[in-house]
Amino acid sequence: MARKTANDDPLAPVTLAVGQEDLLLDRAVQEVVAAAKASDADTDVRDLTPDQLQPGTLAELTSPSLFAERKVVVVRNAQDLSADTIKDVKAYLGAPAEEITLVLLHAGGAKGKGLLDAARKAGAREVACPKMTKPADRLAFTRGEFRTMGRSATPEACQALVDAIGSDLRELASAASQLVADVEGTIDEAVVGRYYTGRAEASSFTVADRAVEGRAAEALEALRWSLATGVAPVLITSALAQGVRAIGKLSSARGGRPADLARELGMPPWKIDRVRQQMRGWTPDGVSIALRAVAEADAGVKGGGDDPEYALEKAVVTIARAARSRGRG
């Protein structure tokens, strides 16, 4: 979910949406437009790209109107504005017009940082829209979607949905909305499985789960299905790494209740239970071997080898064997 500053009025004179997560940026714009139209149904919305905002254009768009109409001016990719246009925007920030809301969408990097700093100094309402690259962030996003829609979903259901859909927030939001529309009561893992079985079987996390459980044949089948359905190899190596690291973390942790271990290891309690089941058969040497296999596969899929598919297959087999290392001579 996008994070906001203390000034949470969507009709503030200037809203600054910062980040590279397209869905969150679009939602920041939609929130402002919805608030403006709720105040005045005839609100004029202008949605502009950098090439459409030439020097002088902002002054024309924000000049007083005889009809005193409310207006929302959206500027996308503000970091790409020309130097002269940035001067216009900075001048406007010092004296924003009444009944007009300016929305600046900025990637947040070094490019165009002067405009970013100027908007913040002027007291712009800020909405953070960071790219969600970590599975934990996507899981939190999914939980937030259900909460926003006033529905209850179990932790296992949220995890299953993330595993099935992957990293695309638009697809995650759409899937959550579909489940809410179709299902009554609490949404659980079984419901997600019924709706998204095909996607779950192609999931990179399914590959990782089967591998760390020592089920080589099933892991290879899931791997081939994943690759055939377009899952990026780098997502599979990431899932394998997370699976093996979770085994290593839990095996080296001192005993305790799932809730205590969850706080210590940074995992949700339900995942502690799952990893405990998966770690049977693992040894410290097995974890080391598996981590090396993941590192080699990661290098292989990022250009260090000629055949990414073979690199992944080799890693999956090695991990599955390592999962059964306890008791072998």
Side-chain angles (χ1 to χ4, degrees), residues 179-265:
L179 288 168
V180 166
D182 291 356
V183 179
E184 295 183 358
T186 298
I187 296 165
D188 59 21
E189 188 175 12
V191 169
V192 175
R194 286 201 301 272
Y195 271 73
Y196 298 101
T197 288
R199 297 294 294 273
E201 288 174 350
S203 160
S204 56
F205 289 98
T206 301
V207 179
D209 283 342
R210 299 298 85 80
V212 299
E213 290 162 4
R215 295 152 66 179
E218 293 176 40
L220 288 171
E221 181 181 358
L223 171 63
R224 289 163 189 151
W225 194 327
S226 292
L227 294 173
T229 54
V231 176
V234 68
L235 294 180
I236 299 174
T237 56
S238 175
L240 289 170
Q242 289 180 53
V244 175
R245 286 175 187 145
I247 297 288
K249 283 183 178 180
L250 191 55
S251 62
S252 62
R254 289 172 291 182
R257 296 177 303 169
D260 295 332
L261 287 170
R263 286 191 294 271
E264 180 183 344
L265 302 178

Side-chain angles (χ1 to χ4, degrees), residues 34-314:
K37 286 187 175 292
S39 175
D40 181 352
D42 296 324
T43 294
D44 180 18
V45 180
R46 302 296 180 92
D47 199 322
L48 307 170
T49 56
D51 61 304
Q52 294 174 312
L53 195 66
Q54 298 298 318
T57 303
L58 183 62
E60 294 176 11
L61 291 173
T62 57
S63 59
S65 167
L66 291 175
F67 304 101
E69 63 180 351
R70 178 171 287 282
K71 186 179 294 183
V72 175
V73 179
V74 180
V75 180
R76 296 185 181 271
N77 298 312
Q79 71 278 359
D80 295 331
L81 291 171
S82 68
D84 288 338
T85 302
I86 286 177
K87 290 180 182 178
D88 288 351
V89 177
K90 286 182 176 179
Y92 177 82
L93 292 173
E98 293 185 11
E99 299 300 311
I100 293 177
T101 299
L102 175 65
V103 184
L104 298 174
L105 275 58
H106 194 292
K111 187 176 183 182
K113 189 173 183 300
L115 177 58
L116 190 63
D117 293 341
R120 286 169 171 162
K121 186 175 181 180
R125 166 182 179 258
E126 186 168 343
V127 181
C129 307
K131 197 74 174 174
M132 294 192 181
T133 58
K134 297 179 180 178
D137 292 338
R138 294 192 287 273
L139 182 59
F141 170 82
T142 303
R143 288 198 298 263
E145 288 294 290
F146 286 117
R147 280 198 301 269
T148 298
M149 291 183 281
R151 292 295 297 278
S152 176
T154 67
E156 294 84 358
C158 293
Q159 183 65 58
L161 193 59
V162 172
D163 289 351
I165 300 300
S167 60
D168 191 310
L169 288 200
R170 290 187 191 279
E171 290 194 25
L172 276 171
S174 176
S177 179
Q178 185 68 51
L179 288 168
V180 166
D182 291 356
V183 179
E184 295 183 358
T186 298
I187 296 165
D188 59 21
E189 188 175 12
V191 169
V192 175
R194 286 201 301 272
Y195 271 73
Y196 298 101
T197 288
R199 297 294 294 273
E201 288 174 350
S203 160
S204 56
F205 289 98
T206 301
V207 179
D209 283 342
R210 299 298 85 80
V212 299
E213 290 162 4
R215 295 152 66 179
E218 293 176 40
L220 288 171
E221 181 181 358
L223 171 63
R224 289 163 189 151
W225 194 327
S226 292
L227 294 173
T229 54
V231 176
V234 68
L235 294 180
I236 299 174
T237 56
S238 175
L240 289 170
Q242 289 180 53
V244 175
R245 286 175 187 145
I247 297 288
K249 283 183 178 180
L250 191 55
S251 62
S252 62
R254 289 172 291 182
R257 296 177 303 169
D260 295 332
L261 287 170
R263 286 191 294 271
E264 180 183 344
L265 302 178
M267 298 181 192
W270 64 264
K271 188 171 183 179
I272 296 291
D273 292 333
R274 176 185 290 182
V275 176
R276 271 179 169 163
Q277 295 175 351
Q278 293 175 333
M279 64 187 285
R280 296 167 186 163
W282 282 91
T283 65
D285 286 344
V287 172
S288 297
I289 291 170
L291 287 174
R292 285 197 297 271
V294 172
E296 290 173 3
D298 189 55
V301 302
K302 291 180 178 176
D306 297 327
D307 191 341
E309 184 172 338
Y310 171 73
L312 287 169
E313 288 182 353
K314 182 180 177 182

